[in-house]
Amino acid sequence: MVLEQLQKRIEAVKERIEQAITHPYLCRYMNPRMIDEDRIAFSLSMLDAANIDRNIAEDYVFTMMLIQIALDTHDEVDEHEAMHLRQLTVLAGDLYSGLYYQFLANNHGMALIRLFAEAIKEINVQKIRLQRGNVDAIERFRCLGTIESALICKLAQYVNAENWSEFAYYFFSLKRLSDENKKEKAVADYVEHCKRKLNDLLHSQPMHEDMKGRLYHLLDQST
Amino acid sequence: MMKLKAMYSFLNADLNKIERELEASIQADDPLLNQASLHLLQAGGKRIRPVFVLLGGQFGTYDFECIKHVAVALEFIHMASLVHDDVIDNAKLRRGKETIQSKWGNRFAMYVGDYIFARSLELMANIKNPLAHQILADTIVEVCRGEIEQISDKYRFDQNLRRYLQRIKRKTALLIAASCQLGAVVAGAPESIHRKLYWFGYYVGMSFQITDDILDFIGTEKELGKPAGSDLSQGNVTLPVLYAMEEEALRQSIMQVNEATTASEMKELIERIKQTDAIEKSYELGERYLQKALSILQSLPRNRAWNALYNIAKYIGKRKY
């Protein structure tokens, strides 16, 4: 029952995001944006555990996901050789950034504006570090962990659920690295490290069954 | 003609502080990001948005320590959009300096733009008045929609004047309008005042962009920092083009412009456009917007900011580059 409920809420947040980012001209030329369900599930679990009102929690997750999609869209800029698509990719990301600010501004989310802005700054600093390339494996994993979890960590800070930050860091690091070549020793070692951390944290964290299922799936997938 | 800076010399001390705030506020935990940000700041610019914010603030209770956040935030938003615009246009030079995308690549430029935009919102978070955030957020979204519209309208020669005006409103006028209004809002000016400042900024912005579009035809490469007629060669249908298209023969030639049009073909076309009354008619429309701005100004209380706004409006209508 609870599992069904969470999935319904995830779908509802996804639908809201899809509606918000729909733009007739962008839709005509760009592929639909990927919306990471795990991120929504994780955030809703965290906010429920922090006793945040359901509607408010969904608002927070909706806003955070708009930022995530904006940043992810800008990561794709170099993937498009065609000038027109590259131009639209830049502008789509900018539009989604504007939309998250508009939502918070209209819902008096001043404190969240600051926290999310801090996260975006941090994420872009780490992306620049990664892009420069002169980082060792450990530093690279740290950068990736921050890039993947900074927004959720700021949300955790906002709702006084900082105990979820470490969990978010390792969960999304593992998710990011699960696609990488684990034959490389440094990656394989770090994946094992993330899994150990997540196994330790799993028992100290009350969470929805659906979220647990996603976590087990990720742990299995990374083996 | 009076120099732009001399029109608001009473703000000099505060504008110098804004310049220092810009430098201090953009500092990041990464040397390359710092280098790029400084590169942007040193490329200069008229800082017209901070000027409008500070002038708008003079119509309320002017508190520099509060209003500076808005002034710096608006300049950062403008800078971030320029960095991304250079990726969109694949521009190699801006104000005679190499662009971020040319120097460090597209991806890096995207990250720098996103970083600066986030920094601007972080500064805005110092402002507790929700109306200020609503005005700015609505402006940002409209500006983005306008930029998408500009892309969708490229090489579309069947568009009308209304479409052009809507586009330049979103491209330029809204941010200038918001600058004027936000200064007053943050300074606690009554709605009757900050609404008027919005419309003043809006009309000035419209006039400013029309002048910009005219200068793209009549300016020299040295003055413009890019070849004359660049807008048309990139498929941007601006006011002089719309007016020139009223002449049937020219209309047919303009409609042939596409990405493959050569520089010499373009040069010839620009000369033909300049020989029509398109430039003159464009100036007339720009002047009409300017008069609207000045008319709004008449209903605002007289103070030294009023004089500055009056002179700036006049300057914008007559600027040569």
Side-chain angles (χ1 to χ4, degrees):
Chain A
M1 181 66 184
V2 175
L3 192 147
E4 270 178 28
Q5 273 179 6
L6 188 69
Q7 190 56 39
K8 264 191 185 168
R9 290 173 69 197
I10 293 169
E11 294 299 332
V13 172
K14 272 180 78 176
E15 204 178 310
R16 248 177 105 180
I17 296 165
E18 280 160 2
Q19 274 178 10
I21 65 174
T22 292
H23 184 288
Y25 191 73
L26 295 178
C27 288
R28 203 183 322 157
Y29 295 98
M30 292 177 73
N31 290 328
R33 299 292 84 194
M34 290 293 290
I35 301 173
D36 182 355
E37 277 196 18
D38 285 345
R39 216 170 265 278
I40 301 176
F42 189 103
S43 313
L44 288 175
S45 289
M46 175 181 85
L47 294 166
D48 286 351
N51 293 320
I52 303 297
D53 174 88
R54 284 169 65 118
N55 291 329
I56 294 174
E58 285 164 23
D59 278 355
Y60 292 161
V61 178
F62 164 73
T63 318
M64 187 196 71
M65 290 305 292
L66 279 181
I67 304 174
Q68 188 67 50
I69 293 165
L71 298 176
D72 291 348
T73 302
H74 280 169
D75 277 333
E76 291 173 14
V77 161
D78 260 354
E79 290 168 20
H80 306 299
E81 282 187 20
M83 178 89 160
H84 182 243
L85 203 50
R86 197 169 61 223
Q87 292 171 328
L88 293 184
T89 307
V90 176
L91 293 175
D94 287 349
L95 177 64
Y96 308 151
S97 289
L99 288 174
Y100 98 76
Y101 178 45
Q102 192 178 42
F103 183 81
L104 288 178
N106 284 312
N107 293 282
H108 312 309
M110 305 306 153
L112 258 186
I113 290 173
R114 184 192 300 279
L115 285 174
F116 279 148
E118 285 171 5
I120 298 167
K121 279 172 48 190
E122 218 174 306
I123 289 168
N124 282 291
V125 167
Q126 300 309 324
K127 284 182 177 177
I128 285 171
R129 260 183 208 156
L130 272 188
Q131 204 205 2
R132 243 191 354 234
N134 54 350
V135 287
D136 60 23
I138 295 298
E139 187 59 26
R140 189 172 83 85
F141 298 141
R142 267 194 209 129
C143 288
L144 287 177
T146 304
I147 289 167
E148 295 299 323
S149 66
L151 284 166
I152 290 183
C153 290
K154 287 293 180 185
L155 189 54
Q157 185 185 331
Y158 184 65
V159 298
N160 295 319
E162 278 102 334
N163 53 326
W164 282 73
S165 295
E166 198 182 7
F167 188 28
Y169 182 89
Y170 287 109
F171 181 84
F172 290 102
S173 290
L174 185 61
K175 191 169 153 72
R176 170 82 177 240
L177 291 173
S178 62
D179 294 335
E180 288 200 14
N181 181 5
K182 286 181 279 290
K183 280 182 188 155
E184 198 183 307
K185 191 177 180 314
V187 177
D189 287 352
Y190 195 71
V191 162
E192 284 310 310
H193 173 69
C194 289
K195 286 168 71 174
R196 271 197 306 276
K197 282 284 186 182
L198 285 169
N199 271 313
D200 290 348
L201 290 164
L202 173 63
H203 304 292
S204 59
Q205 218 74 272
M207 68 180 81
H208 288 294
E209 286 305 311
D210 174 274
M211 186 54 220
K212 266 189 194 159
R214 287 168 189 272
L215 177 57
Y216 287 133
H217 177 71
L218 181 67
L219 290 169
D220 284 348
Q221 210 185 22
S222 315
T223 304
Chain B
M1 198 163 118
M2 201 175 179
K3 278 194 172 171
L4 186 62
K5 270 195 161 181
M7 294 170 192
Y8 42 80
S9 53
F10 65 95
L11 287 178
N12 276 354
D14 284 353
L15 283 168
N16 286 337
K17 283 190 219 162
I18 292 287
E19 206 57 42
R20 288 200 294 275
E21 286 284 337
L22 283 166
E23 268 183 45
S25 301
I26 214 164
Q27 292 296 315
D29 290 340
D30 184 84
L32 193 60
L33 181 54
N34 274 339
Q35 197 187 333
S37 305
L38 216 61
H39 176 83
L40 268 175
L41 276 178
Q42 285 166 351
K46 297 185 185 77
R47 310 280 190 246
I48 198 73
R49 289 152 196 86
V51 168
F52 279 132
V53 172
L54 298 189
L55 288 173
Q58 299 276 332
F59 289 86
T61 309
Y62 184 88
D63 172 7
F64 179 77
E65 287 309 310
C66 176
I67 209 166
K68 71 178 184 185
H69 298 302
V70 182
V72 174
L74 277 166
E75 189 61 14
F76 279 164
I77 288 169
H78 173 62
M79 277 170 58
S81 76
L82 294 183
V83 178
H84 286 180
D85 281 354
D86 289 335
V87 175
I88 291 169
D89 297 335
N90 202 15
K92 301 298 167 207
L93 289 174
R94 182 174 283 279
R95 297 186 189 118
K97 276 196 151 194
E98 196 174 1
T99 59
I100 303 274
Q101 77 92 20
S102 168
K103 212 170 156 92
W104 288 289
N106 284 335
R107 266 201 180 209
F108 183 79
M110 295 316 300
Y111 299 152
V112 171
D114 284 346
Y115 177 90
I116 296 174
F117 180 70
R119 184 70 186 108
S120 73
L121 295 194
E122 194 180 20
L123 288 166
M124 276 303 291
N126 292 307
I127 305 297
K128 302 298 168 215
N129 184 344
L131 179 62
H133 290 277
Q134 286 157 10
I135 292 169
L136 183 59
D138 289 348
T139 304
I140 290 168
V141 170
E142 278 300 292
V143 168
C144 290
R145 292 192 198 281
E147 290 220 43
I148 296 168
E149 213 165 73
Q150 179 159 326
I151 302 282
S152 74
D153 283 350
K154 278 197 176 193
Y155 299 106
R156 272 192 53 196
F157 295 104
D158 58 347
Q159 57 186 283
N160 55 24
L161 179 64
R162 190 190 155 101
R163 179 83 178 174
Y164 165 79
L165 294 175
Q166 190 188 359
R167 207 170 55 236
I168 65 167
K169 166 189 156 183
R170 285 167 155 176
K171 180 181 176 180
T172 306
L174 285 181
L175 199 53
I176 294 183
S179 304
C180 294
Q181 187 180 18
L182 282 173
V185 167
V186 171
E191 189 182 349
S192 58
I193 300 283
H194 70 66
R195 292 290 303 161
K196 282 177 184 165
L197 281 162
Y198 169 90
W199 284 109
F200 168 82
Y202 172 82
Y203 290 130
V204 164
M206 294 296 279
S207 176
F208 182 90
Q209 189 56 50
I210 289 172
T211 307
D212 229 38
D213 292 344
I214 296 169
L215 292 174
D216 186 66
F217 279 91
I218 64 170
T220 62
E221 188 164 348
K222 194 179 169 198
E223 285 166 345
L224 298 168
K226 56 184 180 177
S230 292
D231 284 338
L232 182 56
S233 43
Q234 285 172 5
N236 294 322
V237 182
T238 59
L239 189 59
V241 177
L242 285 174
Y243 282 140
M245 285 175 74
E246 289 173 4
E247 237 175 66
E248 191 49 37
L250 201 46
R251 180 185 177 81
Q252 294 304 324
S253 305
I254 290 170
M255 285 174 75
Q256 303 301 315
V257 172
N258 58 49
E259 277 155 356
T261 305
T262 64
S264 67
E265 284 168 338
M266 193 52 72
K267 204 173 169 187
E268 193 195 318
L269 193 56
I270 303 264
E271 281 312 308
R272 284 175 64 198
I273 293 171
K274 280 161 74 175
Q275 280 161 22
T276 66
D277 60 357
I279 302 293
E280 200 186 319
K281 282 169 79 175
S282 302
Y283 267 127
E284 277 167 19
L285 187 58
E287 180 61 26
R288 267 168 40 206
Y289 276 110
L290 205 59
Q291 288 308 320
K292 283 187 180 193
L294 294 174
S295 157
I296 294 272
L297 208 52
Q298 293 306 323
S299 61
L300 280 165
R302 307 273 169 132
N303 55 23
R304 47 188 188 167
W306 189 97
N307 290 326
L309 290 174
Y310 179 87
N311 288 325
I312 292 170
K314 286 279 199 188
Y315 172 90
I316 278 171
K318 294 195 166 45
R319 73 199 170 96
K320 297 282 180 259
Y321 55 91

